[in-house]
Amino acid sequence: MSGGRRIILATDLSSYSSERMLNYIKKKILRKGDKVIILHVFNWQNIADLPMDDEVMGIGSGNLIALNNSEKKRAREEIGKGMESLLKKAQEYDVDAESIILEGYPRIKICELAAKKQADFVIMASRGMGALGRLFLGSVSD
């Protein structure tokens, strides 16, 4: 890809922000020859992040690792479907795009990929909380 810019769209896969940001890139940033890299960083913490419903509470501690792996697999499948959907939307917008799924801390993985791909732009949506909300809850986009 000579001459084109590399644009990373870091997404949480919410349809509202992801499609809006892809449309924004198409209308405001994209030039002929540019490549969009749609990135999702999967941050699996641990079993403590699972909802504590009857199914989870009813298992013995020996099954926690299996549940963890099963939940990871299901989450990865859903992420894959979301990324496929965004790639289709990019094709509809006539945008040259590829998708990348990484596992780890989003703020670190986004920066590492930007450096590796020599990205010209990193685009991501914020949750629209305002300054006070971001102060207490934080945001990867900050």
Side-chain angles (χ1 to χ4, degrees):
M1 188 191 96
S2 61
R5 301 173 301 172
R6 287 164 295 279
I7 302 164
I8 294 177
L9 168 57
T11 177
D12 63 359
L13 293 175
S14 61
S15 60
Y16 178 75
S17 67
S18 300
E19 290 181 20
R20 284 189 69 184
M21 294 312 300
L22 192 56
N23 191 37
Y24 176 84
I25 290 169
K26 168 71 175 166
K27 289 183 176 182
K28 303 283 186 180
I29 298 173
L30 202 65
R31 296 182 192 156
K32 186 175 181 169
D34 287 352
K35 174 92 171 188
V36 175
I37 301 163
I38 303 170
L39 170 65
H40 178 78
V41 181
F42 178 67
N43 187 13
W44 182 261
Q45 293 291 326
N46 56 40
I47 193 69
D49 293 334
L50 291 174
M52 286 301 173
D53 57 18
D54 291 339
E55 181 181 335
V56 174
M57 293 303 286
I59 63 173
S61 61
N63 293 328
L64 290 179
I65 299 302
L67 178 64
N68 190 344
N69 289 335
S70 132
E71 288 296 314
K72 268 187 170 182
K73 181 180 178 188
R74 188 167 46 213
R76 282 190 180 110
E77 288 169 359
E78 291 302 314
I79 290 166
K81 289 177 189 175
M83 294 296 271
E84 285 176 28
S85 175
L86 269 180
L87 278 175
K88 286 180 186 176
K89 185 60 76 174
Q91 289 173 343
E92 290 173 20
Y93 290 159
D94 198 28
V95 171
D96 181 17
E98 69 174 291
S99 68
I100 296 176
I101 300 170
L102 299 175
E103 186 172 346
Y105 292 103
R107 66 178 179 257
I108 294 170
K109 294 297 182 179
I110 292 167
C111 292
E112 286 176 352
L113 186 69
K116 180 180 176 183
K117 296 285 189 175
Q118 298 179 331
D120 297 288
F121 295 98
V122 176
I123 308 289
M124 66 182 79
S126 71
R127 292 184 276 179
M129 291 183 292
L132 190 58
R134 284 193 312 272
L135 175 67
F136 289 107
L137 298 175
S139 175
V140 171
S141 61
D142 288 339

